[in-house]
Amino acid sequence: MEDNSGTELVASLRKNATRFGVVFVHCGAAHRPLFEDLMGAGDHKMNVRDILDGEDIPAGIIVIDGMESLASSDRQDMPRLRQIVHDAADSGSAIILISRYPKIRYEQVPGSTLLLDARKFTLPLGVFLPSVDDSSGVWPACQGGAASAREVSQAIFTELGLEIAATLDCTIFESFLDRAEMISLLREKEIEALEGGGLIQRVDRQYQWAIPNRFGEIRDALADTLAGAIDPQRELAALFSELWSLERMIRNSIRRALLEAHGGKWARKGLHGNLPDLVLTRAKEDVYPGAKSLGEIRDPLEWLTLGELLEVRKSSGVGELGVESVVWDKFHREVGPVRNRVSHMRLIRPGDLDQVRKWRANLMRKLDPQSH
Amino acid sequence: MRLLRAKANDLFPERAPRPRRDGPASASQPLAGEDKVLAKTPSSLIAGWRAGPVAAPRHPDLLQNIDRLRARFPEFGRHLSMLTQLGSQVVYAGACKVPDFEACGVAVVRFSNAIETAFGITREVMFFYSPHRELQVRTFRAAKDVFGTLNREMTPDLIFVSSPDPRLRERLDDWTRGSTYLAIPFGADVDSPIGFIGLLRDYIFSRDLFYETTPVAGDSFFGRKVLLQGLGNDVLNQRVAGLFGLRKAGKTSVLKQLSLDLRRSDAFSVLVDLESLPSPPEDPIPDLLTSLRSKLISEFKSQSIRTKELSECSPTPSLAEFKHAFQSLLARLPRDNPSMIVVMLDEIEYLTPYERIDVAEGDMPQIAQFLGVMRGLVQETSNFTFIVSGLTSQIVESGRLYGRPNPLFSWAKTHHVAPFTSDEATDLALSIGSRMGIEIDRGATDALFEATGGHAYLYRSLASEVVESLPVDVFRRQMLRVDVIRSLEDWRLSIAGNLEEMIDHVKRYYPTEGVLLEFLLEEPSQFVTIANSEPKALRHLMDLGLVQRDGHAFAANPVLELL
């Protein structure tokens, strides 16, 4: 980087900190060379762990690094930090939070509003010139051949986290959209993460890929990241638990309605088309090897996918069960893909858990009023 | 909102370059020297700034005091000359009356009408003179204390400071960072009338009083009169109240303003931010009781009320210990003095996370017990009540809390912090704008309101963005509709993440309302059918200001179009 750009960066960051009070800077792998400039931007620099251990925040513009250590730490750390930072800001200090991770990677816990409310400060990238062979120099980390685009891409995805990687799986591999249109699928928080990570940048109020002619390497790095994810994601257990309860609740409601309508013949009367054969085949391949008819399966509904279950609701005449048809359709559109991701051991995405919880709360109230 | 954005695209297909603004709070060099200012100020004639001059002082005592001050502080003589040329006059001069700082001097100035109008000044302004080569922060604090020693109508948040300290500007900028208080360094580098105007411009025009990072109260608080009155009545009649609204709608600001208002009725309050405490599955009650005890003791002591009962109980009291100590203290207090003590529990959803409220089997009975104790204190005393504040009114509407009966069910009076009305928003814009020396025309206030739906944080944020784009090198600063439109898209991109989180937050705590809102945005033709079966959810969305009536139909608040 040229000398004066570092000075401009520091001046701009200080101005933002003074104006907005608390500023969040996502300085990940792509921007690593800027880290020293950022740490020198304040009147004092501190590590977040030292602050949580009791070190006082002095007056002035304070740069706090090490934020990523709070991404999934003790749930007490974030509310404590929030209180400390707010007290410092109330006393006139301006705070710059430096993080290798984007905001979206931090667990939603009390105190998280510290990050949500902090003004984002986006670090600059080099100018992309299509005519230049090695456009990876757009990333400061690749300038001067310090690192390859592939290496830096890998590091970026590691820092962005698996949830963002899973979102990009859909965006880049599954959408079949034009590269420029892919970004339109992303939510604001995801865009913020990618912009902070250096994968996209804003040009004339539009977002575009930062290094479009190295897109193949970025895709490959993403594929490696996705394939290499073998540890369960943080929200997976809670998500599975919610899905499990939700689907069983729907199953139970349909079963009760069918029982009420048809008594002992509820399964035969409720399942139409090829569903009876499908259920029998699946059950025989698993725990009912000797079953010859649907009547020998305790609960045929347990052998249906969510989509098939909802089809039974529609075709069996049990009615809406207290939930409007358009709401059932919306539920299926939104939860079906999440359920498929979980059941096929694929990565879950930001918002999946919130989505399922929302629906569980909605449907529980209507399908099982006694429990609410 | 769509129309506003369409206009922005039509009028400004390419991004308009913004003039650089290097305010004194940045690392840039301060402007100095008449030539630079003349080149930047269209009406550089001193005569323009002299318009509406103040009459020269004639009273012999004042003239004598001016001479004395000039003798002690020679720079005051130069300042006097500059001010006189600008049609402004000293209306008071004397030694500082703050004990131990009598070596300092004070002058009070009335500016010409032209200067007052251009910079939004409506009262006299204080000039503080320190003889010290190294200005200390206690001297600066003494300067602020001068306001209390003079019986004059002075601008409370603006002061000029003169000192031989070569680091005067740096120190004052540091001591006022993050505050709305403006301390302008009047050093030797300002050596002409136009240089003085440039100094005023640098500081006053660089202020951004719209953007607030923390809750506001006092001069920075606007509107909500009916809401404050309602809450105040509840408190003084010992009714428990609930205050609900979107994230950053202004709930905490309302609570802080209410605290100030209540002092006039001899009631005082303690605010507890529940987001600072552990949240379930961790048990928050021990920390909450510790914090509450500590804050109550602190507040009582500031009111010169003995705190024996609370001070003698454990610093980490159990629920029973706290109740006993606090109830004893309340019983001991004289009638009507204080008239009422209010505990304000802010961010109440952190006590009742969405995934745990109203479960069939509770694992956090302490929370219901705590609220039961609070309810008991209200019922068993005549001088205590409390307010719960947060996003979701479920805390007062749900029959059960963690599997136990909810003590607050149908017991608290509910209030909502809705978006500003158009008049309230306009009042905010004009009032704050004038303090920054900015005229805001009707088209601009309309555009600000249309774009933000009146949401407090979004309104201030957009106004701040527009102000940042206004030129500073002008005689008169104005904000017009076109300025708002020009700033819209950049602003939308800067707050889109915040707005998305605001709506996500609603959906987490109000799942039914979340689905309803999504229908309104995605399948509006289905909305009325669904809403008819969910009247309570519809009511919540309207109370939050997210949905409004549009004749016989419903419409989403325009702010949702920002997503």
Side-chain angles (χ1 to χ4, degrees), chain B residues 6 30 47 61 68 81 86 100 106 120 189 200 209 269 350 359 404 468 517:
Chain B
D61 289 348
R68 281 202 202 108
S81 169
L86 291 170
D100 298 330
V106 173
D189 55 332
L200 262 178
L209 300 178
S269 58
Y350 290 101
V359 295
R404 292 169 71 106
E468 184 73 1
L517 193 61

Side-chain angles (χ1 to χ4, degrees), chain A residues 15 19-20 83 113 324 366, chain B residues 21 213 275-276 464 533:
Chain A
K15 187 175 175 191
R19 183 175 170 208
F20 297 115
Q83 188 62 52
T113 53
E324 293 88 347
K366 295 180 181 185
Chain B
R21 294 187 66 244
T213 51
E275 194 183 351
S276 302
S464 170
S533 66

Side-chain angles (χ1 to χ4, degrees), chain B residues 76-148:
Chain B
F76 173 61
R78 288 200 312 277
H79 298 165
L80 197 54
S81 169
M82 282 185 230
L83 290 168
T84 307
Q85 291 180 68
L86 291 170
S88 307
Q89 298 291 348
V90 171
V91 295
Y92 170 91
C96 176
K97 292 181 182 172
V98 175
D100 298 330
F101 292 94
E102 292 84 354
C104 299
V106 173
V108 178
V109 171
R110 187 80 209 215
F111 287 115
S112 70
N113 190 49
I115 291 175
E116 287 193 340
T117 304
F119 294 104
I121 296 169
T122 57
R123 289 180 262 194
E124 297 164 351
V125 177
M126 183 171 66
F127 285 60
F128 186 85
Y129 290 86
S130 164
H132 308 299
R133 271 204 66 80
E134 187 177 327
L135 191 68
Q136 302 286 318
V137 69
R138 53 193 162 90
T139 308
F140 175 63
R141 286 195 204 111
K144 290 161 86 172
D145 289 342
V146 167
F147 286 98

